[in-house]
Amino acid sequence: MVSGENTLILVVTRECVFSCPVCPIEKQKGKMSQRIAKKSIRLFLERNFLEIPLIRFFGGEPLLNFSVIKKVVEWTKKRFKNVKFDLTTNFFKFSPQFLKFFRENENVELIISTGDKKFPFSSSLFKLTSFSDRITFNINLWPFNLDWIGKIFKKLLHHKFFRFNFLPAYYFPWQKSQINLLEKNLEQIARIIKTFPKKIYVKNLATNSPFPLFNLAFTIDVSGEVYFGNFFLHKDFARFGNVFKIGDINTISEWKEINTNAQIFSKIDILKLTKIVFPKRILDSTFAVDKVLNNFCERLKT
């Protein structure tokens, strides 16, 4: 979970070159403009923070709007101190220009999603080995790729990448046999992590969200609408977008103008909404795979 107090999520585009069957994002055309991105960051960072603020670039595939990301990071660094960034990508739009940008910006963390068997193990990826302390791999756990996740995990370790986040397909139908196979694979990965000679960082151990998949952080959509949490991005939650909308960057001049009262969603209220949105079998699958993931994390702690 990323904190709603110190984190701003910018949905710089909802576009993506793929249509993964488990991806919950409602795809749309369009890219966030520099104006909206800069104003969002400026208003957000003019507040007081107890921790170092984090700007998170999200999508879609954020690298489809790399020109804006690059200019916004450079602009922010000139005006604000002690700001961190991260960017979640599937790596298929990686370019020499991005590699140069990543090398020059030590306050940017890269989160690379893996799940498709076509994941590009390439010379471009191996050029990042020297920056492995700033790279986390999302190991996407899908019902139909469980025979492969152990192989990619071992391959990444072989190439000296040691930071991981394990992300099951939530709000998706899993069969009992698939959940059992997920548990078996995670048990094997846990054994590797606990016996590996070098410390392996598992991001799941540092997160704590009451809602599988979703973050309770300020989120700004492509055209500037401000939401509390990123629930609205899910295609099944889209019709309830106004429930989470708390403002619009285009019409405010200070962050305090955002409707902070709308931020107060209790756990029970959101759980009620998920029961409206999703069939019981989908929710049962979600909480079953989440339990497997939690057991995996507990195993790593002991």
Side-chain angles (χ1 to χ4, degrees), residues 155-172:
K155 194 167 185 177
L156 289 168
L157 288 179
H158 175 74
H159 289 289
K160 296 181 171 55
F161 293 106
F162 304 112
R163 295 173 60 88
F164 300 93
N165 183 59
F166 295 88
L167 185 61
Y170 289 121
Y171 308 101
F172 192 84

Side-chain angles (χ1 to χ4, degrees), residues 56-80:
R56 170 162 288 179
F57 298 112
F58 200 67
E61 171 49 57
L63 290 185
L64 291 174
N65 200 6
F66 171 57
S67 61
V68 165
I69 291 172
K70 179 177 181 294
K71 291 172 183 176
V72 164
V73 169
E74 293 170 349
W75 176 87
T76 303
K77 288 175 66 176
K78 291 177 182 178
R79 289 161 178 79
F80 299 94

Side-chain angles (χ1 to χ4, degrees), residues 200-252:
I200 297 173
Y201 173 78
V202 178
K203 195 170 187 177
N204 303 83
L205 301 182
T207 60
N208 181 28
S209 175
F211 312 108
L213 183 65
F214 300 117
N215 298 139
L216 293 178
F218 296 113
T219 306
I220 300 182
D221 204 4
V222 174
S223 54
E225 294 88 355
V226 185
Y227 297 87
F228 184 64
N230 58 357
F231 301 83
F232 73 97
L233 290 172
H234 196 290
K235 61 187 72 172
D236 293 321
F237 265 121
R239 60 195 170 105
F240 294 99
N242 286 335
V243 173
F244 304 103
K245 185 176 178 181
I246 56 176
D248 192 317
I249 286 298
N250 296 290
T251 59
I252 64 174

